[in-house]
Amino acid sequence: MTNKKYIITSFTILLITQVYLQSPAQHVSLNGTWHFKTDLYKQGEKDKWFLPQTNTSGWDEMAVPGNWDLENEYAAYVGKVWYKKAFKTEEAWKGRRIRLYFESVYNDAQVWLNGKKMTENHLGFLPFWVDIQDDLNWDGENVLVVQADNTFKRGAIWNWGGIRRSVWLEITPMVRLEQQHITAIPDLQKGTAEINIRLKISNADEKDNQVGYQYVLLKDGKEVWQSKTKEIILIPAKGEKLHEINFNLKKQDVALWHFNQPHLYTGKLRLTIDNQPVHELKDRFGIRKIEIDGYQFKLNGESIRTVGFNLVPEDRTTGNTLPLWRIKEDVDLMKSLGANMARTSHLPLPKDFLDYLDEKGIMTFEEVSLWGKDEMVDPEHPMPKEWLERMITLKYNHPSIIGWSIGNEIGFLNANPKVMEYVATASEHAKQLDPHRLAVNVSHSAQAQEKDPVKYSDLILYNRYGNWGKDAVKVNELHPGKPIFMAEYGKELNNENPNESLVDAKSMLDKMRGKIFLIGASLWTFNDYRSFWQAGPTWTTPPSQNRTWGIVNTFRKKKKSFYAFKKEYAPVQSLSIKKTASRRAEVSIEPRGELDIPAYSMNGYRLVWAAFSKKDQLIDGSFTNLPEILPGDNTKSQEINWNTEEVARLEIHLLDPQDYSVLDTIVHFTPPPLPEILSVHSATTSIRVIFKPVKNATAYYLRYGKKGETLKKSALTINDFIEVKGLERFTGYDFEVVAINAAGESLPSPKITTKTDEDELPPIIWATVPSNEAFFIGYTVDRQDYLYEIAYGTQTGQYTDTLVLRNVGVCKIPNLENGKTYYYKMRLRKQWGFASEWSHEISVMPDGDKPRGSISIKGVLKEGKDYLLLFEPIPKASGYILETTSGKKINIHHAQSGFYTLKGIAPEEIENLTLRLK
């Protein structure tokens, strides 16, 4: 056995021009509505649709950014499409450099301006750009045409097509900063750090230019270093120049980036000519050290054992355009599940996503998305090399990225004969481009072959769907000396129905725990995602096209398996409460073992308790700063007591240093209120009861039976409906719904009597999601369904419009008015032609893709000089602004935590708090 030691230092600061440019630079958005036309028969280039005079009167319209797959008409379209948009120049732009920037066009793109081809791109997950100042029409409109083609596909995911992220113009001086890469190397013994900045300056001018620069480094908004040099750099005409800046940070100015304390710096690099600013780049970076030391994976010198999720970056109502609220909701939910390291996605993530991973502290690997048997697994193929180079250049500065992956499940020699040569050369190239991060490939073959490309991985990333522990042992026997991170693990698809999603998280993780060489695991997957992948019986995508690996569904509704993973991913084994008197209880925390997964030191955690009344009002509570808890420590206990007998619910939360509740337990002292039945649907031998969920209920059941007979109990559910099958035909039945929690049962809802009949049941509606001038409906699909009908209007019970379509799983109701309430119902027709009953009526208000609603502040808890705000998060929020009594404004950057710590604030400041959306 050989023990190798790899030291991976940190770095980060922005590069490239995907920043908000400072004056005198200008950022002009080209987002909005573009003309759009599909090109099934590939006539566009032949008929020169790229010419400005092309008549678009018969073209459709499409939102940019957006995916055409979200529109009913193009929901399954694959192939070429054309986009067209006109814009005008401004007189002030003359003599300046004008760059056209696309953040993502999937996958193959060609771009024309005023009939001239400007550029093309064949890496749809990455941005691209072109300078256009020499080709603009200064006296009229400029016509921009883009051809996009989504034929290229990776794995079992949906290849969402379109100009799916923002497009803009960058107007800068002719001399500008192209990139800045920052490498920060901490000295863990001294507490200092070496900083190296590599910058590239380009000059599009016809003459040489002499430039200077100013660099300022900020920590917590305060300057900690500033360049003093008056150095002048000569940039040749139509050329570029590389330059380096080096300095040291003192101990008092160094704060390390860690998944629980992700300290970030802000660096500002300003380019000057004759001491006047001409261009500026600005972004955050972190300082941290990653080490592979034998079988240990170390962060800043500490051996850690980590957990996380693979995430397919999409949903069924925004596709993979990834608005900021979608990014923040997903990351916040993963943080609440204890995630700290993951091969987050097969796919390169956009800057906004990586920025938030930087801010919240989830380590990840960015990947060149080769998969399985792939012709690109060849050291001579140019595409993977370009992909790797562009990916590293663009993303070099994110501390959340700890490694570059050069492929996934490509290791079997009979499938890819050149894989050893490819992985060897690609890994070496990754190290040349970035010697400060891990170079890895993801294996599903290392247990089966002694000659395997994991030979070239700094850390073994391994995928397994069964025999997790046994096969990991085989991998270690064949490839000893390196730690193994289970990059993907799972067993089989679960279920679209949140109540039927049963995943044995403990069983899977227990088979991985206790092995010194197995240092962490990342579940496949966090979320359900769109797909049509067909495989074995337990791996075939349902007819809804929602591939059900997730612990949340595609609409982010939590499944039962969500709660199983929250328990198994928590940094402690258990959080329990034992009542010791009428208003007193003991809370116990059992730490993880040293070889547990996860296992790491816990610093800055808090124990929070909050007591609520029957009206769901916070009436008592407090929080305690916990001492450091290490894996292998003894059980920690703390007594809590409350001062009233009016407590209906007691919540206990383990809060991490970033205000995420990573484990909780709830004690109910009173049963829930009775639920209300909204609708009952009947078929020949089954009945479905829809009801309104109530506060403090943990589950529901149905009491049912033949009219006048003793009622039976259905199984428990966490859904808002219960379906009973196997009933007698054309028979009357009585129904009551009962809500339950640990304190007991509610009174039953008022009894409803319904008779089974010849009808079909309508689809189950999983979600109604408001959007911009539209709303989406998510619903069940059966293989025998023929089509779906939606009737809708602006008054309850009165439907002025009907939509009939065959889209599966999700459909869109477009051409509506934002801020106006609509009412709809839905039914299906089976393949033999019969229509089902209509669903119950549902109301929805199109929201312009912006959060709506008032934010409920539950209350504020106090401990010493600190306060803890408890509030109810709002869907689609990307952050909040808290205003104190004196008018002081505090930014809350996370979106879905529901907790926020206030430090160093005077008591009178919290007397009248206001919380609003950012």
Side-chain angles (χ1 to χ4, degrees):
M1 181 182 296
T2 59
N3 286 333
K4 297 182 180 179
K5 183 168 182 175
Y6 305 90
I7 299 179
I8 309 300
T9 54
S10 82
F11 31 78
T12 43
I13 252 203
L14 185 69
L15 48 91
I16 237 61
T17 53
Q18 55 194 68
V19 295
Y20 293 102
L21 301 175
Q22 307 295 312
S23 179
Q26 187 178 354
H27 179 116
V28 178
S29 173
L30 296 180
N31 291 347
T33 301
W34 291 45
H35 295 291
F36 173 87
K37 185 175 178 62
T38 59
D39 190 8
L40 181 64
Y41 301 105
K42 301 178 177 61
Q43 294 296 306
E45 288 187 74
K46 177 182 175 182
D47 294 340
K48 298 183 179 180
W49 292 357
F50 51 79
L51 293 177
Q53 60 267 32
T54 299
N55 186 353
T56 57
S57 60
W59 292 31
D60 204 342
E61 291 184 339
M62 188 64 62
V64 171
N67 297 120
W68 69 66
D69 322 59
L70 294 171
E71 306 302 324
N72 298 325
E73 298 88 339
Y74 310 113
Y77 180 80
V78 176
K80 296 181 184 295
V81 305
W82 293 75
Y83 288 82
K84 188 175 184 181
K85 186 179 183 67
F87 66 92
K88 291 185 178 181
T89 59
E90 297 178 11
E91 188 68 22
W93 297 359
K94 287 185 176 180
R96 294 169 71 79
R97 193 171 189 175
I98 303 173
R99 179 165 291 177
L100 173 63
Y101 197 103
F102 293 88
E103 200 173 3
S104 176
V105 181
Y106 190 82
N107 174 73
D108 299 281
Q110 298 186 73
V111 180
W112 290 264
L113 179 65
N114 299 327
K116 179 182 176 180
K117 186 173 180 180
M118 303 300 297
T119 189
E120 59 185 68
N121 180 65
H122 304 284
L123 293 173
F125 300 108
L126 298 176
F128 65 100
W129 59 91
V130 61
D131 288 349
I132 62 173
Q133 63 272 5
D134 296 333
D135 299 285
L136 287 170
N137 176 12
W138 295 95
D139 299 319
E141 284 191 332
N142 290 270
V143 179
L144 180 61
V145 176
V146 178
Q147 183 203 78
D149 186 341
N150 72 331
T151 305
F152 179 79
K153 187 175 182 298
R154 298 282 83 184
I157 65 171
W158 193 262
N159 51 330
W160 296 94
I163 304 177
R164 56 191 194 178
R165 295 204 43 94
S166 291
V167 185
W168 64 82
L169 299 175
E170 291 176 358
I171 297 96
T172 69
M174 288 297 195
V175 180
R176 61 169 292 157
L177 291 159
E178 290 294 341
Q179 67 183 41
Q180 55 174 334
H181 288 174
I182 288 204
T183 304
I185 304 176
D187 186 319
L188 298 180
Q189 283 69 46
K190 295 180 180 179
T192 58
E194 297 178 9
I195 310 295
N196 168 262
I197 309 165
R198 288 178 289 126
L199 57 106
K200 181 191 289 186
I201 308 168
S202 70
N203 180 11
D205 212 338
E206 298 289 345
K207 62 182 179 67
D208 297 348
N209 276 283
Q210 292 184 328
V211 303
Y213 64 84
Q214 297 171 347
Y215 186 76
V216 176
L217 183 61
L218 303 174
K219 173 190 172 188
D220 300 326
K222 297 179 180 179
E223 182 182 308
V224 295
W225 191 87
Q226 181 175 343
S227 61
K228 307 296 183 183
T229 180
K230 300 296 184 180
E231 184 176 6
I232 299 298
I233 307 168
L234 178 66
I235 315 298
K238 299 293 184 180
E240 61 185 31
K241 193 73 171 285
L242 300 176
H243 188 73
E244 289 196 16
I245 306 170
N246 295 282
F247 58 92
N248 293 321
L249 276 184
K250 299 177 182 179
K251 182 177 181 178
Q252 64 266 28
D253 295 326
V254 174
L256 298 179
W257 186 95
H258 183 278
F259 56 79
N260 273 337
Q261 291 91 17
H263 295 290
L264 293 170
Y265 293 75
T266 299
K268 295 193 293 185
L269 179 61
R270 176 173 293 174
L271 197 65
T272 62
I273 296 179
D274 296 329
N275 292 319
Q276 297 301 311
V278 293
H279 194 214
E280 181 175 290
L281 295 183
K282 172 184 174 182
D283 201 23
R284 301 172 302 181
F285 74 96
I287 304 172
R288 52 105 177 99
K289 177 178 283 188
I290 297 294
E291 298 172 84
I292 304 298
D293 187 359
Y295 283 129
Q296 294 186 84
F297 175 86
K298 292 182 177 179
L299 173 62
N300 301 331
E302 176 197 352
S303 179
I304 60 173
R305 299 168 68 80
T306 64
V307 289
F309 299 91
N310 292 259
L311 174 138
V312 180
E314 57 140 85
D315 66 33
R316 290 296 298 271
T317 67
T318 64
N320 64 0
T321 60
L322 293 177
L324 185 58
W325 63 262
R326 162 54 57 234
I327 293 169
K328 287 197 168 187
E329 180 179 12
D330 284 351
V331 173
D332 285 352
L333 284 173
M334 288 192 291
K335 285 296 291 185
S336 76
L337 289 158
N340 46 33
M341 186 165 97
R343 178 165 151 263
T344 314
S345 176
H346 283 307
L347 317 173
L349 294 169
K351 180 183 178 298
D352 287 347
F353 210 123
L354 292 170
D355 281 346
Y356 201 57
L357 293 179
D358 293 343
E359 184 177 326
K360 293 303 176 183
I362 296 181
M363 298 174 285
T364 190
F365 302 85
E366 283 282 280
E367 186 165 284
V368 176
S369 301
L370 309 189
W371 182 70
K373 184 177 181 180
D374 196 321
E375 65 179 3
M376 289 193 288
V377 182
D378 184 338
E380 302 301 319
H381 200 294
M383 188 65 76
K385 183 178 181 181
E386 180 188 354
W387 197 327
L388 181 66
E389 290 173 349
R390 285 174 56 183
M391 189 169 67
I392 292 177
T393 299
L394 284 163
K395 301 164 184 281
Y396 185 89
N397 301 301
H398 293 281
S400 56
I401 300 175
I402 62 169
W404 307 110
S405 169
I406 48 81
N408 173 56
E409 297 185 355
I410 58 176
F412 276 116
L413 303 178
N414 58 353
N416 295 309
K418 297 182 179 180
V419 65
M420 295 299 286
E421 296 90 338
Y422 164 74
V423 173
T425 56
S427 299
E428 182 181 1
H429 192 42
K431 285 293 191 183
Q432 290 170 347
L433 294 168
D434 184 357
H436 306 290
R437 282 190 174 96
L438 300 169
V440 298
N441 64 90
V442 185
S443 176
H444 70 328
S445 54
Q447 82 290 345
Q449 52 189 26
E450 189 170 356
K451 184 182 179 182
D452 191 87
V454 295
K455 172 183 178 180
Y456 304 108
S457 275
D458 294 335
L459 166 70
I460 296 177
L461 269 61
Y462 180 55
N463 294 350
R464 211 74 205 129
Y465 289 84
N467 294 321
W468 309 277
K470 291 180 180 179
D471 282 347
V473 170
K474 292 179 183 178
V475 173
N476 182 60
E477 290 172 348
L478 291 173
H479 314 281
K482 296 179 184 179
I484 301 170
F485 179 73
M486 196 70 72
E488 290 180 26
Y489 74 96
K491 187 176 182 182
E492 57 193 19
L493 297 178
N494 52 74
N495 204 295
E496 290 181 271
N497 186 333
N499 194 61
E500 303 300 323
S501 172
L502 306 173
V503 181
D504 194 345
K506 184 175 183 350
S507 175
M508 287 192 287
L509 283 159
D510 280 351
K511 289 177 173 61
M512 293 182 254
R513 290 165 169 150
K515 297 173 175 59
I516 191 171
F517 54 82
L518 187 51
I519 56 89
S522 180
L523 179 74
W524 185 270
T525 57
F526 168 72
N527 60 300
D528 291 351
Y529 52 96
R530 190 176 181 188
S531 176
F532 57 76
W533 195 260
Q534 304 294 299
T538 62
W539 278 50
T540 289
T541 305
S544 64
Q545 295 182 349
N546 293 321
R547 191 154 175 80
T548 54
W549 284 109
I551 61 172
V552 297
N553 69 13
T554 189
F555 311 104
R556 289 355 186 226
K557 183 176 178 63
K558 296 173 184 176
K559 303 181 183 182
K560 277 186 175 178
S561 50
F562 179 96
Y563 304 99
F565 278 92
K566 188 175 181 75
K567 183 177 187 301
E568 294 305 314
Y569 272 20
V572 297
Q573 287 194 51
S574 65
L575 175 68
S576 58
I577 182 169
K578 179 181 179 182
K579 195 172 181 182
T580 56
S582 63
R583 290 180 289 171
R584 184 177 301 163
E586 183 179 70
V587 178
S588 297
I589 299 173
E590 185 180 358
R592 292 281 179 189
E594 292 182 4
L595 291 181
D596 212 337
I597 296 177
Y600 46 83
S601 63
M602 295 171 56
N603 290 289
Y605 284 73
R606 283 159 293 164
L607 184 67
V608 179
W609 67 273
F612 293 87
S613 69
K614 288 183 179 180
K615 295 182 178 180
D616 207 40
Q617 296 174 328
L618 180 66
I619 54 177
D620 202 356
S622 186
F623 61 94
T624 302
N625 296 319
L626 295 170
E628 181 181 37
I629 299 176
L630 298 174
D633 278 356
N634 294 325
T635 300
K636 314 292 183 182
S637 297
Q638 179 178 316
E639 188 175 85
I640 63 172
N641 55 78
W642 49 100
N643 55 21
T644 175
E645 297 289 348
E646 301 301 316
V647 176
R649 181 179 84 255
L650 185 66
E651 295 183 5
I652 311 294
H653 296 272
L654 179 64
L655 232 59
D656 78 359
Q658 296 184 82
D659 294 330
Y660 291 101
S661 174
V662 293
L663 191 60
D664 62 78
T665 187
I666 299 176
V667 179
H668 293 279
F669 296 106
T670 59
L674 65 87
E676 174 190 354
I677 293 178
L678 299 177
S679 181
V680 178
H681 304 290
S682 57
T684 52
T685 60
S686 59
I687 285 180
R688 183 186 304 144
V689 178
I690 315 290
F691 56 88
K692 186 176 181 179
V694 294
K695 282 281 187 182
N696 294 326
T698 56
Y700 305 85
Y701 71 86
L702 189 67
R703 288 161 50 91
Y704 70 98
K706 291 181 182 179
K707 187 176 181 180
E709 294 186 358
T710 302
L711 300 182
K712 298 180 288 186
K713 283 186 178 182
S714 72
L716 295 176
T717 187
I718 62 171
N719 292 328
D720 61 356
F721 69 90
I722 299 174
E723 193 168 311
V724 179
K725 299 180 180 180
L727 304 179
E728 295 182 18
R729 297 163 62 92
F730 305 106
T731 302
Y733 284 86
D734 293 330
F735 298 94
E736 300 170 342
V737 177
V738 178
I740 68 168
N741 63 27
E745 300 183 351
S746 71
L747 294 173
S749 64
K751 187 180 296 182
I752 288 182
T753 301
T754 300
K755 180 183 289 188
T756 53
D757 54 31
E758 70 280 5
D759 292 338
E760 303 284 350
L761 293 177
I764 295 168
I765 297 174
W766 294 123
T768 305
V769 182
S771 185
N772 183 38
E773 299 179 346
F775 64 87
F776 290 86
I777 307 170
Y779 47 90
T780 53
V781 178
D782 187 88
R783 297 186 190 280
Q784 295 179 328
D785 292 352
Y786 170 51
L787 54 78
Y788 306 92
E789 299 177 61
I790 301 96
Y792 59 100
T794 56
Q795 295 186 41
T796 179
Q798 298 183 29
Y799 310 109
T800 55
D801 295 280
T802 303
L803 180 63
V804 180
L805 39 66
R806 299 190 67 188
N807 295 35
V808 295
V810 174
C811 69
K812 180 180 182 179
I813 312 301
N815 306 318
L816 307 179
E817 184 178 334
N818 288 333
K820 179 177 286 187
T821 300
Y822 292 82
Y823 302 86
Y824 81 90
K825 59 182 182 178
M826 183 178 187
R827 70 179 180 180
L828 60 83
R829 288 187 183 272
K830 289 295 186 181
Q831 62 185 1
W832 45 84
F834 293 134
S836 73
E837 290 185 3
W838 288 99
S839 71
H840 64 298
E841 184 180 79
I842 297 175
S843 64
V844 58
M845 180 185 292
D847 61 5
D849 271 335
K850 296 178 181 178
R852 286 182 178 269
S854 59
I855 307 165
S856 172
I857 295 178
K858 297 178 180 178
V860 179
L861 303 179
K862 183 179 185 299
E863 179 60 34
K865 296 182 179 180
D866 294 342
Y867 297 88
L868 183 66
L869 174 71
L870 282 66
F871 65 97
E872 194 69 42
I874 292 289
K876 294 191 179 182
S878 59
Y880 310 89
I881 294 176
L882 179 68
E883 190 168 333
T884 67
T885 305
S886 68
K888 179 181 179 181
K889 294 179 175 60
I890 300 170
N891 278 312
I892 299 177
H893 296 293
H894 57 243
Q896 299 299 323
S897 165
F899 297 91
Y900 186 76
T901 300
L902 296 162
K903 289 182 175 290
I905 190 168
E908 59 269 19
E909 288 286 345
I910 67 162
E911 292 176 0
N912 186 22
L913 295 176
T914 302
L915 191 61
R916 57 184 174 85
L917 291 160
K918 188 180 291 186

